[in-house]
């Protein structure tokens, strides 16, 4: 009986543009896989040499030259083990998203990605030309076929590899996270195997890159569509996959199958996004304006979990409208998490600004203008602390607020990273409950009191907005699914009047979202890279009868 075939699945956290650092990591992982695990092959993610997505760095000739030199350095440095690595390959004046197979100074195979995604957050047709040929190489007597990421989402590339003799298909990925993405991936892989029976090794990247978060979840699936191994989500590392020759051909030997909790996965995505945005951009830590409300409470918990409490500052900035409950709950949470906590009153500053504007505002009633002054004073204070400490301000607005413009430009929107920008309000509560199930850090009153911005007496969010269960349902259908007002009414039971008012708020506030900080993407249709609407537009929803 032939010996076992051992593959090392490398869930790498790559830094976009750090070609030298990424290459160093690949060489080190390959040496570890050979020396400590006796692996025949190490499989690295899509575009591991550049990180993903490299975007317009791919348009710079010197960038492509450095990638080729990085590949050559791997080829020279790694011996005694094969390496599958993704890189941009320039051939005859055309650039390809490529998987290379290297061993002992030789290139055993080059595969050019066939299916180039050009939707949602992907725009690969801007940079790459599509390949059309299979690539199959021999590994310890086994014929191994290559595919890259999107290739597994269509039937042709895997079928072509198997027709070319592949007994095992390796698929390398830089597949970003969104809610329930892993189950979707696994369904697609199972569909491929049902039509083209061959075991599949799926290797995915981990880590945060600007708005995107890569969740890993690398896996092995056998010819019956069973998952025989699944690597932990959001954890960088080497995970071994073993195969043997059996009656039905090459068979994976069952390993650890990590479990998936959808809410826990979203929370981990937020933590990963904050950790890597701050770490990769070399900020000293994070600053959060803590109000005593649910959004800032969740943001602070994520920051502390991502960075450690010693690197996080929480700042309470009360006004005359700030309740005693908010004071108490903010301080209690800061103490529970162990972060640095301070209080800076905005009352005198707001009064001085209003005094300076008194002549100009004479005869005008108080309105949201004065409320926005409070929010903008807080933004000034937080940004001053950021400048002085080198810590990044994390904004606290959620997706529901971003959708309808329930936020102050240059006020509570001021900051460098928007942690829950893609998290609807109702999911904010679920995530907060989940975090408290690990250890109770968010006071119960924060979870049960009516949401309020506390910018005027007795204010609640529902003074200006529909109830959040109604609002979130409308926004999901309109923002994420592009459904019409009439269709939304049929699906939700909400009145057309309410739906059109909400759509109007979404439309009017595109200019705010365009100026918002980047934030972690956890849905299939986030504002920014996913959903791109004009600020100036004459398109309107039909008026109500």
């Amino acid at each position: 009986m032939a010996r076992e075939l051992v593959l090392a699945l490398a869930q790498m956290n790559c830094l976009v543009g750090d070609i030298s650092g990424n290459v160093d990591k690949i060489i080190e992982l390959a040496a570890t896989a050979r020396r400590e695990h006796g692996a025949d092959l190490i499989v690295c993610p899509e575009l591991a040499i550049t990180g993903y997505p490299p975007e317009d760095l791919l348009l710079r000739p010197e960038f492509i030259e450095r990638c080729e030199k990085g590949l050559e350095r791997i080829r020279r440095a790694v011996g005694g083990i094969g390496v599958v690595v993704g890189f941009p390959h320039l051939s005859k004046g055309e650039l390809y998203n490529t998987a290379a197979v290297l061993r002992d100074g030789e290139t055993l195979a080059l595969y050019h990605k066939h299916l180039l995604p050009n939707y949602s957050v992907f725009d690969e047709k801007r940079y790459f030309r599509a390949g059309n040929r299979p690539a199959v190489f021999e590994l310890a007597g086994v014929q191994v076929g290559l595919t890259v990421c999107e290739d597994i989402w269509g039937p042709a590339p895997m079928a072509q590899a198997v027709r070319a003799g592949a007994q095992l298909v390796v698929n390398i990925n830089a597949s970003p996270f969104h809610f329930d993405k892993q189950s979707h991936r696994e369904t697609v892989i199972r569909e491929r195997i049902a039509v083209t029976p061959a075991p599949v090794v799926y290797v995915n990247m981990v880590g945060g890159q600007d708005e995107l978060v890569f969740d890993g979840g690398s896996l092995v699936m056998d010819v019956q569509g069973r998952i025989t191994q699944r690597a932990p989500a959001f954890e960088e590392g080497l995970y071994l996959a073993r195969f043997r020759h059996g009656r039905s051909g090459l068979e994976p030997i069952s390993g650890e199958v990590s479990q998936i909790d959808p809410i826990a996965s979203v929370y981990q995505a937020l933590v990963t996004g904050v950790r890597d945005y701050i770490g990769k951009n070399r900020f000293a830590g994070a600053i959060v304006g803590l109000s005593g409300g649910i959004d800032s409470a969740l943001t602070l918990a994520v920051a502390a979990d991502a960075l450690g409490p010693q690197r996080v500052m929480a700042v309470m900035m009360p006004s005359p409208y700030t309740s005693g409950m908010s004071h108490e709950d903010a301080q209690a949470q800061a103490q529970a998490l162990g972060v640095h906590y301070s209080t800076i009153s905005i009352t005198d500053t707001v009064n001085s600004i209003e005094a300076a504007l008194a002549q100009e505002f004479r005869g005008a009633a108080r309105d949201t203008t004065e409320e926005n002054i409070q929010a903008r004073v807080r933004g000034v204070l937080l940004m001053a602390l950021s400048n002085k400490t080198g810590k990044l301000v994390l904004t606290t607005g959620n997706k529901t607020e971003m959708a309808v413009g329930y936020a102050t430009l240059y006020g509570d929107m001021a900051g460098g990273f928007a942690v829950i920008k893609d998290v609807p309000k109702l999911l904010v509560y679920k995530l907060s409950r989940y975090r408290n199930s690990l250890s109770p850090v968010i006071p119960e009153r924060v979870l049960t009191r009516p949401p309020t911005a506390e910018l005027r007496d007795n204010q609640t969010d529902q003074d200006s907005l529909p109830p959040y269960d109604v609002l979130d349902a409308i926004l999901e259908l309109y923002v994420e699914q592009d459904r019409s007002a009439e269709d939304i009414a049929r699906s939700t039971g909400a009145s057309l009047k309410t739906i059109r008012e909400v759509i109007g708020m979404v439309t009017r506030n595109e200019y705010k979202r365009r100026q918002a900080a980047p934030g972690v993407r956890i849905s299939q249709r986030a504002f920014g890279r996913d959903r791109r609407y004009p600020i100036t537009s004459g398109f309107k929803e039909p008026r109500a009868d």
Side-chain angles (χ1 to χ4, degrees):
M1 184 182 200
R3 70 175 180 85
E4 290 182 358
L5 180 68
V6 182
L7 274 59
L9 316 186
Q11 285 198 166
M12 291 177 60
N13 188 342
C14 303
L15 174 57
V16 165
D18 184 14
I19 296 166
S20 178
N22 295 333
V23 166
D24 287 344
K25 184 178 290 188
I26 292 165
I27 292 170
E28 181 181 351
L29 288 170
T32 300
R34 176 186 57 79
R35 182 180 62 250
E36 298 183 12
H37 305 294
D40 299 288
L41 182 74
I42 179 172
V43 183
C44 302
E46 177 183 17
L47 292 180
I49 286 178
T50 65
Y52 193 94
E55 300 186 286
D56 280 7
L57 288 172
L58 292 166
L59 303 179
R60 302 186 68 85
E62 66 270 30
F63 184 77
I64 303 303
E65 290 171 10
R66 291 185 194 179
C67 290
E68 294 285 356
K69 290 177 180 177
L71 186 75
E72 179 60 28
R73 187 152 68 88
I74 296 169
R75 186 170 22 238
R76 292 196 312 266
V78 176
I81 185 173
V83 181
V84 176
V85 62
F87 78 109
H89 178 49
L90 186 65
S91 176
K92 298 180 180 179
E94 300 285 355
L95 192 64
Y96 296 91
N97 185 338
T98 301
V101 185
L102 312 175
R103 185 181 175 103
D104 297 329
E106 296 183 8
T107 301
L108 303 185
L110 285 176
Y111 174 82
H112 297 152
K113 186 175 182 178
H114 290 192
L115 305 181
L116 301 179
N118 218 61
Y119 57 86
S120 183
V121 300
F122 306 105
D123 50 7
E124 291 198 15
K125 290 183 180 179
R126 177 180 174 89
Y127 309 106
F128 297 116
R129 182 174 179 178
N132 55 23
R133 296 180 180 176
V136 179
F137 65 98
E138 184 177 333
L139 180 69
V142 175
Q143 297 298 311
V144 181
L146 292 175
T147 58
V148 177
C149 202
E150 187 77 8
D151 292 336
I152 205 73
W153 293 77
M158 181 169 168
Q160 192 178 19
V162 172
R163 284 197 301 270
Q167 301 166 276
L168 171 68
V169 174
V170 170
N171 180 247
I172 65 171
N173 293 265
S175 177
F177 172 85
H178 64 65
F179 188 81
D180 208 28
K181 180 69 171 286
Q182 186 71 10
S183 65
H184 191 187
R185 293 178 186 129
E186 293 173 5
T187 297
V188 169
I189 297 169
R190 198 168 284 114
E191 290 170 354
R192 297 289 85 77
I193 290 173
V195 175
T196 309
V200 170
V201 172
Y202 175 99
V203 177
N204 194 23
M205 192 174 283
V206 294
Q209 174 60 35
D210 296 344
E211 302 99 324
L212 301 183
V213 173
F214 301 92
D215 54 318
S218 301
L219 62 91
V220 179
M221 191 177 289
D222 69 13
V223 292
Q224 283 78 41
R226 296 175 300 206
I227 295 170
T228 61
Q229 186 170 345
R230 184 192 293 124
F234 303 101
E235 292 187 20
E236 188 172 18
L238 281 177
Y239 301 93
L240 299 185
R242 300 179 183 275
F243 296 81
R244 64 188 167 207
H245 295 273
R247 294 179 181 177
S248 60
L250 192 68
E251 299 175 349
I253 300 171
S254 294
E256 182 180 352
V257 180
S258 65
Q259 300 305 305
I260 301 169
D261 179 316
I263 297 299
S265 293
V266 173
Y267 192 83
Q268 286 179 289
L270 298 177
V271 168
T272 300
V274 170
R275 181 198 67 213
D276 280 1
Y277 192 85
I278 287 177
K280 291 178 178 180
N281 287 294
R282 300 179 181 177
F283 288 100
I287 300 173
V288 178
L290 191 59
S291 69
I294 188 69
D295 296 321
S296 64
L298 177 61
T299 301
L300 184 65
V302 169
D305 289 344
L307 306 174
Q310 70 281 0
R311 297 180 62 197
V312 178
M313 295 176 61
V315 186
M316 176 63 158
M317 295 167 287
S319 78
Y321 305 111
T322 303
S323 68
M325 183 189 306
S326 295
H327 274 284
E328 293 167 7
D329 290 344
Q331 186 171 11
Q333 185 186 1
Q335 289 174 344
L337 287 167
V339 303
H340 175 82
Y341 177 75
S342 60
T343 300
I344 305 173
S345 173
I346 66 169
T347 300
D348 291 344
T349 307
V350 170
N351 287 342
S352 68
I353 292 173
E354 290 190 4
L357 292 167
Q359 183 64 28
E360 301 296 331
F361 286 2
R362 187 174 57 187
R366 293 180 69 86
D367 56 17
T368 55
T369 304
E370 285 75 15
E371 296 179 19
N372 289 341
I373 288 172
Q374 296 171 60
R376 289 177 177 136
V377 166
R378 290 179 172 127
V380 168
L381 294 172
L382 291 173
M383 291 307 299
L385 289 168
S386 176
N387 292 159
K388 189 63 70 176
T389 64
K391 292 180 168 67
L392 183 71
V393 175
L394 302 178
T395 68
T396 61
N398 61 61
K399 187 172 190 174
T400 306
E401 294 171 345
M402 291 297 100
V404 299
Y406 196 67
T408 302
L409 199 58
Y410 322 123
D412 55 314
M413 290 178 65
F417 198 63
V419 180
I420 57 173
K421 177 182 181 179
D422 197 33
V423 180
K425 188 72 170 189
L426 296 182
L427 184 53
V428 169
Y429 282 97
K430 290 181 181 178
L431 290 168
S432 299
R433 293 269 183 208
Y434 165 76
R435 178 57 185 85
N436 272 4
S437 74
L438 304 179
S439 61
V441 295
I442 299 175
E444 184 63 23
R445 286 192 305 194
V446 175
L447 292 160
T448 57
R449 66 185 293 198
T452 172
E454 292 191 324
L455 295 173
R456 63 175 184 268
D457 285 329
N458 301 315
Q459 182 185 29
T460 68
D461 292 1
Q462 255 59 80
D463 296 341
S464 308
L465 302 172
Y468 279 118
D469 57 343
V470 175
L471 182 55
D472 276 359
I474 294 170
L475 291 172
E476 180 178 358
L477 295 174
Y478 181 71
V479 172
E480 299 188 21
Q481 299 181 31
D482 290 320
R483 304 269 284 274
S484 69
E486 291 76 10
D487 196 6
I488 295 170
R490 286 190 292 270
S491 297
T492 65
S495 71
L496 276 173
K497 180 177 183 295
T498 297
I499 293 167
R500 289 196 170 109
E501 286 174 352
V502 170
I503 290 172
M505 288 188 280
V506 174
T507 302
R508 288 193 300 275
N509 285 285
E510 182 62 32
Y511 78 101
K512 283 188 182 180
R513 292 189 293 273
R514 198 70 67 89
Q515 298 178 70
V520 182
R521 173 185 184 265
I522 59 99
S523 75
Q524 294 189 63
R525 197 81 185 280
F527 292 121
R529 295 175 65 96
D530 279 325
R531 187 182 187 275
R532 307 175 209 177
Y533 271 66
I535 296 173
T536 306
S537 172
F539 179 80
K540 307 291 183 187
E541 286 286 325
R543 293 181 180 275
D545 295 333

